């Protein structure tokens, strides 16, 4: 078959020269233009997907939002958490958790006390507060208390029946912090399903001056009796918001001037080099197995990693949140 391209077989890209005397058609200057090269590479901060570009965009949002913190208008993306069933009650177990719930006047209907319980100062105060607030007190046998609380629950002889947890709204938590001239510090959970992790994160958030915790409506743990127990009562004084769509809620908080920091072992910023600790912050913690979801990662202003020993593969979600909250609180105190 004739080689229509004019190239010799076995020599791809080689072109036969034309016949002598034939006029060669020029390139029209295309070759000269190609030699000029491309335009200068944009600065890192001018590239929207570069970490420096994300930080610059977040800073611009924060400056633009400074004058809007006192506004009473509600963002269009803000939605209330779904209504809960009125009979969807929970049992708060353990002396510290029950005592904290009664101290903070958490709505309660019944206090269960194991018969022949060893009475200490906490039990005395629990009984006094329940009597003062008109909470029904029922003394039951310990096997019955084991049954109603779950045999794997460490109830320490006391349990308190409370209505379903009333979730807050994430934007309201941030606005209330701004109204008190405080710098918002919140933690959001992405795909965490262990109630003990939620309880530990609520407890750490309260301990290090955080203002609230955000949980997604779907594929995430809620404030259950187990979370109450692990929080050691902190769930009674630290609001937890439920986000119908976590990504949209994070974007709404960003529009209010908050910076969204995701935790990941392969982050582009190490925790000890974080420069945003004194700014309004939402720390997003992903699950140990899957980490942060793609949409949440794309929403973050920075991905932060915690330097750990190479002998340890990863940190528990609750521990990672605690370490980050401690570092942010330390930097804010020294600022």
């Amino acid at each position: 078959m004739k080689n229509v391209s004019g190239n010799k077989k076995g020599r791809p890209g080689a072109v036969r020269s034309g016949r002598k005397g034939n006029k060669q058609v020029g390139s029209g200057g295309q070759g000269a233009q190609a030699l000029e090269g491309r335009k200068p590479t944009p600065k890192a901060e001018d590239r929207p997907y570069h970490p420096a570009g994300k930080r610059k965009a977040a800073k611009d949002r924060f400056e633009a939002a400074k004058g809007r913190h006192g506004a009473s208008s509600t963002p269009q993306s803000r939605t209330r958490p779904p209504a809960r069933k009125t009979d969807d009650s929970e049992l708060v177990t353990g002396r510290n958790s029950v005592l904290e719930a009664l101290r903070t006047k958490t709505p309660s209907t019944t206090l269960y006390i194991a018969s022949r319980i060893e009475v200490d100062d906490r039990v005395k105060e629990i009984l006094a507060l329940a009597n003062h607030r008109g909470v029904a007190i029922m003394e039951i046998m310990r096997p019955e208390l084991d049954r109603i609380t779950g045999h794997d629950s460490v109830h320490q002889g006391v349990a308190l029946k409370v209505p379903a947890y009333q979730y807050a709204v994430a934007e309201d938590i941030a606005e209330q912090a701004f109204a008190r001239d405080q710098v918002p510090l919140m933690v959001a959970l992405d795909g965490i399903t262990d109630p003990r992790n939620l309880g530990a994160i609520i407890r750490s958030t309260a301990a290090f001056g955080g203002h609230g915790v955000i949980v997604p409506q779907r594929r995430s743990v809620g404030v259950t009796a187990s979370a109450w127990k692990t929080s050691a009562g902190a769930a009674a004084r630290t609001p937890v918001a439920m986000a119908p769509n976590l990504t949209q809620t994070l974007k709404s908080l960003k529009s209010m001037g908050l910076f969204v920091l995701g935790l990941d072992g392969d982050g582009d910023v190490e925790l000890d080099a974080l420069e945003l600790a004194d700014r309004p912050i939402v720390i997003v913690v992903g699950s140990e197995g899957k980490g942060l979801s793609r949409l949440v990662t794309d929403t973050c202003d920075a991905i932060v990693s915690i330097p750990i020993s190479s002998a340890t593969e990863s940190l528990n979600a609750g521990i990672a949140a605690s370490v980050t909250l401690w570092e942010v609180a330390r930097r804010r105190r020294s600022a």
Side-chain angles (χ1 to χ4, degrees):
M1 180 181 292
K2 186 178 180 180
N3 190 343
V4 295
S5 64
N7 296 353
K8 290 183 179 180
K9 187 176 181 181
R11 295 182 60 199
V15 183
R16 289 182 180 179
S17 60
R19 293 182 179 179
K20 246 181 185 180
N22 283 3
K23 186 178 179 181
Q24 300 295 319
V25 179
S27 65
Q30 293 178 6
Q33 292 175 7
L35 293 174
E36 291 178 2
R38 298 180 179 179
K39 296 180 180 179
T41 303
K43 295 180 179 179
E45 62 182 16
D46 294 332
R47 285 176 267 170
Y49 296 103
H50 192 280
K54 287 187 175 183
R55 288 195 292 271
K56 179 184 177 183
K59 182 178 180 181
D60 293 342
R61 287 197 313 272
F62 175 64
E63 295 297 332
K66 276 186 176 178
R68 302 199 303 265
H69 295 328
S72 59
S73 59
T74 303
Q76 292 182 357
S77 60
R78 184 180 306 187
T79 54
R80 291 277 167 184
R84 304 300 295 267
K85 297 177 181 178
T86 56
D87 60 349
D88 189 14
S89 59
E90 288 281 354
L91 281 176
V92 178
T93 60
R95 300 186 184 188
N96 287 335
S97 299
V98 170
L99 181 56
E100 191 66 29
L102 290 170
R103 281 175 176 173
T104 54
K105 300 181 179 180
T106 301
S108 313
T109 57
T110 308
L111 172 66
Y112 297 99
I113 296 285
S115 59
R116 299 180 183 179
I117 186 175
E118 182 181 347
V119 178
D120 60 7
D121 291 340
R122 290 175 298 174
V123 174
K124 289 178 181 178
E125 187 175 354
I126 286 171
L127 290 169
L129 289 171
N131 275 316
H132 179 72
R133 294 183 49 201
V135 178
I137 301 175
M138 293 186 63
E139 184 177 358
I140 59 177
M141 299 300 291
R142 187 171 289 271
E144 177 64 12
L145 187 57
D146 292 340
R147 186 189 66 80
I148 65 174
T149 59
H151 291 280
D152 58 345
S153 172
V154 183
H155 51 67
Q156 300 175 305
V158 293
L160 185 67
K161 189 175 183 180
V162 299
Y165 186 83
Q166 298 297 312
Y167 291 95
V169 177
E171 293 90 345
D172 290 348
I173 297 174
E175 281 187 354
Q176 289 165 10
F178 281 128
R180 294 191 294 265
D181 293 326
Q182 297 175 348
V183 183
L185 174 59
M186 304 171 68
V187 180
L189 278 58
D190 181 21
I192 293 179
T193 56
D194 188 344
R196 292 170 296 183
N197 272 333
L198 171 59
I201 290 171
I202 294 173
R203 189 175 186 178
S204 297
T205 302
F208 296 115
H211 296 92
V213 177
I214 306 169
V215 297
Q217 182 179 344
R218 298 180 181 86
R219 295 183 293 277
S220 176
V221 66
V223 182
T224 63
S226 180
W228 266 95
K229 172 70 176 179
T230 312
S231 76
R237 60 182 185 275
T238 303
V240 178
M242 178 171 283
N245 184 299
L246 181 59
T247 302
Q248 293 302 319
T249 297
L250 293 176
K251 289 181 179 179
S252 177
L253 292 172
K254 288 173 69 169
S255 71
M256 297 174 66
L258 278 75
F259 292 83
V260 180
L261 307 180
L263 296 185
D264 189 271
D266 297 324
D268 48 73
V269 179
E270 289 196 351
L271 181 59
D272 53 3
L274 182 63
E275 299 178 353
L276 299 172
D278 60 338
R279 305 294 181 89
I281 289 175
V282 183
I283 301 168
V284 189
V285 186
S287 65
E288 291 181 58
K290 297 181 179 179
L292 299 174
S293 63
R294 181 183 60 81
L295 290 176
V296 168
T297 300
D298 292 343
T299 307
C300 291
D301 295 304
I303 305 298
V304 181
S305 63
I306 301 174
I308 59 175
S309 168
S310 58
T312 305
E313 184 177 349
S314 63
L315 292 176
N316 170 275
I319 295 175
S322 299
V323 171
T324 307
L325 286 164
W326 176 83
E327 177 65 13
V328 170
R330 184 189 69 81
R331 287 174 174 262
R332 289 187 174 188
R333 285 195 301 268
S334 60

